[in-house]
């Protein structure tokens, strides 16, 4: 689970994955401790087998504090499902989908509400994630696309009308079919649409939300993996 709380990356992993990478953390916290402070959340931090009590305290810190020195918070558990169920239980779940559209060696990015972004939106009743992704990209950018493979799933939190929301977004790679009438959907707050190569895409993503950085990075990683397999 790749979760973004207050624009901080929270990863939920199993113990085998943690065992293989534990040397890469600045701090490792015993999940059975009852207290954790903002001062301990610096750099890349792992919490091993967190209790429910500690999990709630960690998420309160993530919501209420800026935690400017925290890079990534990893939650390692022998049972990822129990951990993710506890996390989801703190929020109302909203489902969405979006896409990274490729044209030759460029991808499509949009400028929305003061930040560079990728086209995405909430599911309509009766839709599949794939149908939502295609519809949202075509509506928001007025382009015709062909859906390819899934890139990743992200989760991010926000507050709306006093409710804590956890949005699940499934991301798909897409190929441009027709962008002759490309235009931003103004009513969705989109001001600009650009086609950019990898270096510029990553530069724009670096100034945006960490979830968008993550999606762009995974898109290019999968693209390179495919190129190696096809070689």
């Amino acid at each position: 689970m790749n979760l973004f709380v207050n624009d901080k990356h929270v990863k939920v992993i199993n113990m085998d994955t943690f065992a293989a990478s534990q040397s890469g953390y600045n701090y490792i916290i015993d999940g059975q401790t009852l207290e954790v402070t903002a001062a301990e959340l610096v750099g890349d931090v792992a919490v091993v087998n967190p209790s429910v009590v500690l999990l709630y305290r960690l998420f309160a810190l993530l919501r209420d504090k800026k935690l400017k020195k925290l890079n990534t918070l990893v939650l390692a558990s022998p049972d990822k499902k129990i951990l993710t169920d506890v996390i989801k239980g703190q929020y109302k779940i909203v489902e969405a989908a979006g896409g990274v559209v490729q044209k030759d060696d460029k991808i499509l990015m949009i400028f929305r509400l003061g930040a560079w972004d990728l086209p995405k939106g909430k599911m309509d009743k009766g839709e599949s994630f794939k149908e939502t992704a295609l519809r949202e990209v075509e509506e928001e950018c007025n382009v015709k696309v062909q859906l390819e493979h899934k890139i990743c799933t992200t989760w991010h939190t926000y507050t709306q009308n006093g409710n804590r929301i956890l949005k699940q977004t499934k991301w798909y790679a897409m190929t441009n079919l027709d962008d002759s009438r490309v235009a931003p959907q103004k009513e969705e707050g989109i001001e600009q649409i650009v086609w950019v190569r990898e270096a510029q895409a990553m530069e724009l993503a670096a100034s945006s939300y960490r979830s968008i950085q993550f999606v762009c990075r995974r898109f290019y990683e999968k693209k390179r993996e495919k190129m190696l397999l096809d070689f």
Side-chain angles (χ1 to χ4, degrees):
M1 184 182 197
N2 284 289
L3 169 63
F4 298 85
V5 182
N6 215 0
D7 210 33
K8 295 298 181 182
H9 192 176
V10 180
K11 298 181 184 179
V12 179
I13 63 173
N14 59 38
M15 295 304 295
D16 289 341
T17 302
F18 169 73
S21 62
Q22 60 181 295
S23 61
Y25 300 108
N26 298 102
Y27 293 94
I28 297 177
I29 298 172
D30 180 355
Q32 300 310 299
T33 186
L34 296 179
E35 291 291 344
V36 64
T37 66
E40 296 174 89
L41 301 179
V42 176
D44 295 307
V45 179
V47 182
V48 181
N49 196 21
S51 67
V52 173
V53 172
L54 185 61
L55 206 57
Y56 274 85
R57 289 180 177 172
L58 283 167
F59 274 75
L61 282 172
L62 286 164
R63 286 192 301 267
D64 300 338
K65 303 292 184 180
K66 292 187 181 296
L67 302 177
K68 292 182 179 180
K69 295 182 180 180
L70 177 66
N71 181 36
T72 302
L73 178 64
V74 171
L75 306 174
S77 173
D79 193 328
K80 285 172 59 177
K81 185 179 185 307
I82 291 177
L83 199 56
T84 55
D85 285 348
V86 173
I87 293 170
K88 291 176 185 178
Q90 301 180 57
Y91 299 91
K92 176 183 177 182
I93 307 297
V94 171
E95 295 176 322
V100 179
V101 184
Q102 184 167 343
K103 180 174 75 169
D104 300 322
D105 62 342
K106 298 179 180 179
I107 67 166
L108 182 152
M109 296 191 74
I110 63 176
F111 191 73
R112 172 176 20 211
L113 302 176
W116 288 100
D117 203 347
L118 296 166
K120 64 183 182 301
K122 296 177 185 176
M123 294 177 69
D124 284 345
K125 187 176 180 179
E127 277 187 327
S128 67
F129 282 102
K130 290 181 179 180
E131 289 168 340
T132 299
L134 284 171
R135 176 182 56 76
E136 287 290 343
V137 169
E138 293 185 347
E139 286 179 356
E140 292 193 341
C141 303
N142 201 30
V143 294
K144 292 296 181 183
V145 297
Q146 176 178 301
L147 190 143
E148 302 294 343
H149 58 273
K150 183 182 173 184
I151 302 169
C152 61
T153 300
T154 60
W155 302 76
H156 79 271
T157 66
Y158 58 96
T159 301
Q160 187 176 61
N161 299 324
N163 296 314
R164 293 176 185 166
I165 309 296
L166 176 59
K167 181 183 281 187
Q168 176 191 20
T169 306
K170 292 191 178 183
W171 296 94
Y172 298 89
M174 301 178 182
T175 300
N176 174 66
L177 297 178
D178 183 5
D179 66 333
S180 60
R181 297 185 178 182
V182 63
Q185 190 178 21
K186 300 288 188 180
E187 57 266 36
E188 288 296 322
I190 304 171
E191 300 174 34
Q192 189 178 357
I193 297 173
V194 295
W195 290 101
V196 290
R197 292 184 173 87
E198 180 177 357
Q200 188 179 359
M202 295 309 298
E203 183 179 347
L204 295 179
S207 68
S208 183
Y209 311 106
R210 291 192 68 186
S211 58
I212 298 301
Q213 297 173 32
F214 178 80
V215 175
C216 288
R217 189 164 58 249
R218 288 297 295 138
F219 169 78
Y220 285 112
E221 287 172 355
K222 289 203 168 188
K223 183 179 178 182
R224 280 187 276 274
E225 288 168 5
K226 185 178 185 303
M227 288 173 64
L228 286 173
L229 288 173
D230 291 343
F231 181 70

